[in-house]
Amino acid sequence: MILCCFEPVNEENNEKDPELVCEGLDFVQGRIVGGYSPSPNSIKYIVSLQSSKGQHFCGGSLVHKYWVLTAAHCNIGMDQMMVVAGDYTLGANEGTEQYSKPLMLIPHPLYNRSTNNADIMLIKLSAPIELNRYVSLAPLPKQNTGLLAGRMCRVSGWGSTSHSGGLIPLTLRTVRLPIVSTFKCNSSSSFSGNITANMICAGSSTGGKDACKGDSGGPLVCDGRVYGLVSWGNGCGDPRFPGVYTAVSRFRRWIDQTIYSTYARCLKSAGLFGKD
């Protein structure tokens, strides 16, 4: 399988190349197939992560007016990224969009690019997103809240709509999918033990419905809360290989600590906290 993705940050010299590169990989990291277009601005918390050239490459969820939750593998470097909230049709000026540059990218310290474990990242925005009739915050699950197999969820994004990974849509797409048990997802006929406790699987037993390239970091919503982030998989819509998502509930404590400890430090430095 050939995957087109953004070249990662060169950590040695901190250079960032936003140009598309293609690598031969055994899994799709970027990964809506078999879905439909929801009503405009009905999924108010989803954001589009775009390159400095305006090219969509990942999804995310607004969890605070200054913070976006996405996948760690969506890190192409702060200088090359723009966050767009309130969007529905990419490339069209609908008057509902809000733009903000990242001020800080915080991937989880345990993120492993090889195993995809802890594939989660917070983006601190340089300017707040205004909450209005087109934009709202994404509700998150409590720490370590689980999901039973068969629970129906919904994943949304602007990623590929075909099994081959082509046909990028302009409008937001969404699809309903059932949760697949970790036991089944880890079987020898599926991912053979590569699903960790920090991952969730979701997909149709008959195939044809899935997240795909360009949906990475986007929300898997169950019971009205973002339980998963599009992370990786093997193909798109293959019944043997459900989509793999970062389990957000495993990281709720880290999310809260990261967001609110930042504000605590700011308040303390401003002298608004009393001394211990």
Side-chain angles (χ1 to χ4, degrees):
M1 175 180 298
I2 300 298
L3 167 66
C4 289
C5 60
F6 279 88
E7 193 170 65
V9 176
N10 183 329
E11 296 176 351
E12 293 183 359
N13 55 17
N14 203 34
E15 291 180 355
K16 309 170 187 70
D17 184 357
E19 295 303 318
L20 285 168
V21 295
C22 292
E23 300 177 89
L25 298 176
D26 292 330
F27 59 87
V28 170
Q29 193 176 43
R31 310 184 6 120
I32 273 205
V33 175
Y36 61 94
S37 291
S39 301
N41 303 109
S42 59
I43 305 176
K44 304 177 189 295
Y45 46 79
I46 195 167
V47 303
S48 168
L49 303 187
Q50 299 181 7
S51 71
S52 55
K53 297 180 180 179
Q55 183 177 7
H56 169 86
F57 65 91
C58 273
S61 300
L62 190 70
V63 295
H64 182 280
K65 64 181 181 179
Y66 272 105
W67 293 87
V68 165
L69 186 67
T70 188
H73 79 261
C74 291
N75 185 356
I76 65 167
M78 192 168 64
D79 296 339
Q80 306 294 344
M81 190 183 297
M82 176 66 75
V83 174
V84 186
D87 212 347
Y88 179 68
T89 303
L90 298 177
N93 185 6
E94 298 161 309
T96 58
E97 302 91 346
Q98 297 183 54
Y99 301 84
S100 184
K101 291 283 292 181
L103 181 66
M104 192 186 314
L105 302 181
I106 308 177
H108 194 276
L110 297 181
Y111 170 55
N112 186 311
R113 190 178 295 174
S114 299
T115 64
N116 304 301
N117 192 45
D119 187 13
I120 189 169
M121 178 172 69
L122 279 164
I123 302 175
K124 173 71 181 294
L125 302 177
S126 58
I129 298 296
E130 179 186 352
L131 305 183
N132 54 34
R133 59 185 292 192
Y134 308 107
V135 179
S136 65
L137 301 182
L140 301 179
K142 295 180 179 179
Q143 179 72 23
N144 292 328
T145 306
L147 290 168
L148 294 176
R151 169 74 69 181
M152 293 302 295
C153 303
R154 182 172 72 170
V155 61
S156 306
W158 288 274
S160 173
T161 59
S162 72
H163 303 82
S164 62
L167 298 177
I168 304 299
L170 292 177
T171 56
L172 182 67
R173 305 277 295 180
T174 191
V175 67
R176 283 169 50 82
L177 299 167
I179 296 296
V180 177
S181 71
T182 299
F183 178 80
K184 182 176 181 180
C185 208
N186 255 336
S187 68
S188 58
S189 61
S190 193
F191 288 108
S192 302
N194 289 311
I195 306 302
T196 72
N198 294 322
M199 301 174 187
I200 297 172
C201 293
S204 170
S205 60
T206 56
K209 296 180 179 182
D210 201 357
C212 204
K213 289 186 292 188
D215 291 321
S216 282
L220 177 74
V221 175
C222 316
D223 300 325
R225 298 181 182 274
V226 178
Y227 270 86
L229 308 176
V230 179
S231 181
W232 65 284
N234 188 344
C236 303
D238 188 327
R240 298 169 299 168
F241 299 100
V244 185
Y245 301 78
T246 305
V248 173
S249 73
R250 299 279 295 180
F251 301 98
R252 177 62 193 268
R253 192 171 294 122
W254 172 78
I255 293 168
D256 289 346
Q257 288 173 347
T258 301
I259 292 175
Y260 296 106
S261 66
T262 302
Y263 287 105
R265 286 195 299 271
C266 290
L267 292 172
K268 192 169 184 179
S269 65
L272 298 178
F273 275 178
K275 295 182 179 179
D276 295 334

